[in-house]
Amino acid sequence: MRIVVTGGAGFIGANFVHTLLNDHPEVDVNVLDSFTYAANESSLTDITPEQAKRLTITRGDVADMEIVDEVVRDADAVVHFAAESHNDNSITGPAPFIQTNLIGTFTLLEAVRKYGTRFHHVSTDEVYGDLELDDPAKFTPTTPYNPSSPYSASKAGSDMLVRAWMRTYGIPATISNCSNNYGPYQHIEKFIPRMITNRLVGIRPRLYGEGANVRDWIHVLDHNEAVWEILQRGTIGDTYLIGADGEASNKEVVHMLNEIMGHPQDDYDHVADRAGHDLRYAIDATKLHEELGWYPSFTSFREGLEETVRWYTEHEDWWKGEKERVEAKYAQKGH
Ligand code: NAD
Ligand code: DAU
C-alpha cells in the first residue's frame, strides 16, 4: 500500500510516518511537504536502513497542481496533515493560511477526484468555535461550525471543500476533527513545548491572560492511531471526532509542568491575551468508540507530560536552534 502523507515533516505528520514505518511493514510512505519553518528534517531521520527504503520525501507545495498530480497518481491513499497550524501566526499574517489550508486542500481534492484515490482529511475541533467553561455539552459531529480565528476559519473552509467533493463527486474520503495534541516533535512555538523549553533555557512560562482557557489534550500517538483506524475502517463520507477526555486549563498545565520540572507551581508570568482567544474545547468521541472501538492508550495526561518533558530534555539538538527566533517573535507581540 502506498500512502502519501502531506505535512509529514511537521509534528503530527512525522509521528504518523514513524507509526507507519514501525507498525505497518506493508505500507510505503511518500511525504509531500514544502518544509516551511514548522517542518524539521531531523524528525524523519531516526529510522532504520530498511525503513528508509520504504520512505520517499517529496519537497513540494500541496497547492502545486503538477507535483500533487505526480504523487497522487501513484498512491493508494492520501492522508492530509499539511497546513499552516498556529493560531497566533494566523492573527498576525493570515495569507499563508488561506493559501495552504484552502487552495492546498482544493488542489489535493482535484487530484484524488481524478485518480479515485482514498483521502483522509485531518482537521481540528476549532472549527466548532468554543464552549463556556460550565457548558455540559461537548463537540459532536453534528455541532454547527463556528470558527473564531483566521486559522480555524481556513480549516473550517477546507472541511467544507472536502464535504462538497464527497457529495458532488463521490470522492472516497473521511474527515477527522481532533483536539489539542502534545508529544514529541511538536514545534516549540506551541504551548506545551514552549513552556517546557522556556524552563530548560531559564525563561519563566508565559500564560496568556488569566490562564483559564481550557484545552482537551490528547497524545499525538493516540490521535494517529485513530486516524489509522478511520483510514482502514471508517465509513466513507463520514466525520469522526477524536479526543481523549483530557480537559485542563492552561494554568493547570503550567502548574503540572512546573511540578514535573522541579519549580514552584505558581512560578510563571501572565502576558497579553490572544485576540479572539477561544475559551474552551471539549470532544465527545462516542462515535469513534462505538463504531471503530478506538480508545486512547495514554490515559494519564500527567504521565504523558512527564514523558514529553523527558523527550525535549533529551532532544535539545532538535529544538535549540529555533528557540531564540521563536522567542524574539513572541516578544514582538508582547507574549
Ligand atoms: P505543523 O505546523 O507542525 O506541521 C505542518 C506541516 O505541513 C509542516 O511540515 C509544514 O512544512 C507542512 N506544510 C505547510 N504548508 C505546506 C504546503 N503549502 N505544502 C506542503 N506542506 C506544507 O502542524 P501539526 O500540528 O502537525 O498539524 C497537522 C495537521 O493536524 C494540521 O492540518 C492541523 O490543522 C491538524 N491538527 C492539529 C492539532 C494540534 O494540536 N497540533 C490538533 C488537531 C488537528
Ligand atoms: O484544538 C486543536 C488545535 O490546537 C489545533 O488545531 C492547532 O493546530 C493547535 O495549534 C492547537 O491550537 P491552540 O491555539 O489551542 O494551541 P496553542 O499551543 O497555540 O495554545 C494552547 C493554549 O495555550 C491556548 O489557550 C493559548 C495558550 N498559550 C499558548 C502559548 C503559545 C499560552 O497561554 N501561552 C503561550 O505561550
Side-chain angles (χ1 to χ4, degrees):
M1 191 181 189
R2 285 157 303 177
I3 300 186
V4 170
V5 179
T6 73
F11 164 44
I12 308 177
N15 278 286
F16 190 70
V17 170
H18 283 289
T19 297
L20 293 179
L21 295 176
N22 289 329
D23 303 342
H24 303 285
E26 74 287 5
V27 173
D28 286 347
V29 182
N30 188 352
V31 165
L32 174 60
D33 200 301
S34 61
F35 286 82
T36 68
Y37 80 92
N40 191 326
E41 304 218 17
S42 57
S43 301
L44 294 173
T45 49
D46 192 14
I47 57 176
T48 66
E50 277 313 302
Q51 290 175 335
K53 289 185 199 149
R54 292 167 40 221
L55 175 65
T56 306
I57 296 179
T58 306
R59 283 176 175 271
D61 192 324
V62 289
D64 178 337
M65 187 69 89
E66 214 172 295
I67 277 200
V68 164
D69 190 279
E70 219 169 275
V71 300
V72 171
R73 192 174 48 212
D74 295 329
D76 298 303
V78 175
V79 183
H80 179 32
F81 291 97
E84 287 291 338
S85 71
H86 193 38
N87 274 297
D88 289 328
N89 295 342
S90 83
I91 295 164
T92 40
F97 289 75
I98 304 307
Q99 175 63 21
T100 290
N101 302 357
L102 287 166
I103 308 296
T105 302
F106 158 73
T107 308
L108 286 160
L109 286 169
E110 283 296 83
V112 298
R113 170 160 89 96
K114 180 169 169 190
Y115 295 109
T117 316
R118 174 78 172 87
F119 186 70
H120 180 72
H121 180 61
V122 177
S123 193
T124 171
D125 60 357
E126 296 194 16
V127 299
Y128 300 114
D130 60 354
L131 299 162
E132 293 300 327
L133 293 178
D134 59 356
D135 194 332
K138 295 183 173 192
F139 299 140
T140 72
T142 56
T143 303
Y145 275 41
N146 187 26
S148 319
S149 73
Y151 161 67
S152 50
S154 68
K155 291 297 291 187
S158 70
D159 293 10
M160 292 302 158
L161 291 175
V162 180
R163 287 182 184 202
W165 261 242
M166 292 193 288
R167 176 158 170 171
T168 305
Y169 302 115
I171 62 160
T174 40
I175 300 175
S176 56
N177 298 81
C178 187
S179 58
N180 285 63
N181 284 219
Y182 71 98
Y185 302 115
Q186 185 167 31
H187 195 279
I188 56 167
E189 68 188 350
K190 301 283 166 63
F191 180 50
I192 287 179
R194 182 179 184 214
M195 298 305 107
I196 296 173
T197 54
N198 270 13
R199 285 259 76 115
L200 291 173
V201 300
I203 307 172
R204 278 152 69 96
R206 302 278 152 89
L207 267 184
Y208 292 177
E210 288 305 308
N213 306 63
V214 169
R215 296 294 181 263
D216 189 356
W217 295 99
I218 180 172
H219 195 279
V220 62
L221 295 181
D222 280 330
H223 177 185
N224 282 340
E225 203 46 49
V227 167
W228 175 256
E229 291 304 325
I230 297 165
L231 185 67
Q232 297 305 304
R233 299 186 292 116
T235 304
I236 296 299
D238 271 16
T239 290
Y240 293 85
L241 266 55
I242 308 174
D245 293 323
E247 282 187 70
S249 72
N250 295 338
K251 199 186 265 189
E252 285 168 333
V253 174
V254 167
H255 284 179
M256 259 189 265
L257 286 173
N258 274 339
E259 260 174 36
I260 292 168
M261 299 184 79
H263 288 259
Q265 271 198 349
D266 58 358
D267 186 23
Y268 56 80
D269 293 319
H270 289 284
V271 294
D273 207 351
R274 172 184 283 171
H277 199 172
D278 278 340
L279 186 53
R280 173 176 163 237
Y281 307 135
I283 290 275
D284 177 348
T286 306
K287 175 172 170 173
L288 205 48
H289 303 321
E290 289 181 352
E291 263 189 40
L292 301 181
W294 172 91
Y295 286 89
S297 10
F298 286 79
T299 47
S300 159
F301 180 43
R302 165 111 193 181
E303 282 171 25
L305 275 186
E306 285 169 359
E307 186 205 273
T308 306
V309 168
R310 260 196 310 281
W311 191 87
Y312 282 91
T313 308
E314 288 165 4
H315 292 81
E316 205 177 276
D317 52 330
W318 185 86
W319 57 266
K320 197 70 185 274
E322 272 286 280
K323 189 65 184 166
E324 216 173 297
R325 188 193 68 77
V326 170
E327 288 309 312
K329 210 166 154 201
Y330 273 125
Q332 278 172 1
K333 297 179 197 163
H335 285 164

